[in-house]
Every structure is written in C-alpha cells, then in structure tokens.
Amino acid sequence: RPARELLRWQACDMSTRLRFGPDWQKQTVQNIPHIIRHPGIGTLFGRFAGKPALVIAAGPSLDEALPHIQRLRKQFVVISIARPVGRMKRHAGLVPDLIVTGDGQSLVKKQFQYKLPEVPVAASCYTHPDVIRGLNRIFFMEMESMGLPDWLRGKIGELGQIHSGGNVATAAMSVAVALGCNPVLTVGLDL
C-alpha cells in the first residue's frame, strides 16, 4: 500500500509538472526580484504555536458557516484561500489573518480583485506575476512538489517549504501547521 500511494502521488505530481511546469518555471524567474525583496514563509514558522487555526476554502458549506465564524472569529488564526475573501468580507465583514495562494495559473488574478491591502499573502514562488505585482505584504513559500532550483535557493536562502497536497486549501492547511497552529480546523473544504 505505501508503494502504491507513493506511485499515485508521484504520477499526479508528474502530470501537473508536465502540464504547468514550463509556465511555472518562467513565472518563478519573473518573480525573482519580488522573492528577493520579501521574506519567506519560514520566518513565520512556529509563530502561532498552540493557537487554533481556521482554514477557509471556497466550498458551498462556507455560506452556512459564516455567521458562526463571525461570532467565533477572535478565537482563531483565520487563514483563507483567495477565492472566498470577497464573499467573507461582503456577507460577514470577515477579514482573514493570512491569505494563501499556491496556484500559478493566470485565472487566479480575478480571485485577488477583493484583496485587502492590510492582509498578508503566503504565495508560491510560481504565483502568476500579475498577482504578485498587486500585493504589498508577501511571504513567499517553496512548494515541495515544485522546488526551487539549487542555484536560486543559493541566492535567496531558504523560504520555507510547504506541502501542497494537490490544491490550495491543502496548502493552506500545511501553512497553518507550519505556523504552529493546533488544532487546525477547516470550513468550505467540500471536496
């Protein structure tokens, strides 16, 4: 079973790399000036040790949960993917403590139209450059599945690696764990 699981994840990783890898490599190179100027997510590792985190994804169950999140907001470090941020702000006045984006596709640009300038963003190195240019508080992260080349890591140092797990919501959960949050709860993760 462990061998089968390892092969399955590597096959999934490989298909993603074959499909998006060349674009993501180009985008990483375009982002180098920003990566050099902004800190890595590793600077936040352990900072929220023992504090509970609520990771918010964009699934339909989020709507039902918004009033409860609003009521309990102060009890959590709220980490959201980009997509539901506008909906959270409009319907419940909720602002996350951190937004996570791990996707290098250009379609992510529209998810940042509701970006709140005061909220920091944990972004993969290969996030679309148009998204990066619109952000002012960025913590770059290296995704284990699409690591930086050694020559670049040597220039910028360690950013902090995050396990993406196949989608941005699982990357956000990995960020919460790396920040030291415990427990990590999710809402809107309707996969």
Side-chain angles (χ1 to χ4, degrees):
R1 181 175 179 189
R4 187 174 63 239
E5 287 298 306
L6 179 64
L7 289 173
R8 185 176 67 83
W9 278 110
Q10 286 182 350
C12 178
D13 247 9
M14 187 55 68
S15 67
T16 299
R17 285 187 215 178
L18 289 173
R19 169 65 178 90
F20 297 111
D23 291 337
W24 290 354
Q25 288 174 354
K26 180 180 171 187
Q27 289 170 193
T28 298
V29 170
Q30 290 172 333
N31 287 334
I32 288 174
H34 300 283
I35 295 169
I36 291 170
R37 272 198 313 272
H38 295 276
I41 193 73
T43 62
L44 298 179
F45 284 3
R47 182 170 280 179
F48 299 98
K51 294 185 179 180
L54 181 62
V55 174
I56 299 178
S61 67
L62 175 60
D63 291 336
E64 181 181 313
L66 283 173
H68 304 290
I69 297 168
Q70 187 178 35
R71 184 171 43 85
L72 301 169
R73 167 64 176 99
K74 293 186 193 293
Q75 296 179 27
F76 295 96
V77 175
V78 177
I79 300 171
S80 180
I81 66 170
R83 193 166 164 204
V85 169
R87 189 165 93 199
M88 290 165 45
K89 179 76 171 152
R90 279 191 314 274
H91 297 293
L94 289 169
V95 176
D97 297 304
L98 181 68
I99 296 171
V100 175
T101 183
D103 197 328
Q105 297 179 66
S106 63
L107 61 92
V108 173
K109 291 186 288 188
K110 71 179 182 179
Q111 295 175 1
F112 279 87
Q113 64 186 346
Y114 300 108
K115 167 66 181 81
L116 306 168
E118 70 276 12
V119 179
V121 175
S124 69
C125 294
Y126 53 81
T127 298
H128 198 280
D130 290 345
V131 171
I132 296 300
R133 281 190 289 274
L135 302 175
N136 53 4
R137 292 184 65 203
I138 309 167
F139 292 91
F140 280 98
M141 56 189 178
E142 183 178 0
M143 301 305 224
E144 287 179 357
S145 61
M146 188 78 172
L148 293 174
D150 289 338
W151 67 265
L152 180 57
R153 190 178 297 111
K155 304 279 188 222
I156 62 173
E158 292 296 324
L159 295 176
Q161 284 197 342
I162 296 296
H163 178 69
S164 59
N167 67 48
V168 70
T170 53
M173 289 187 290
S174 294
V175 167
V177 169
L179 297 181
C181 296
N182 186 13
V184 176
L185 308 170
T186 64
V187 66
L189 189 61
D190 301 336
L191 301 176

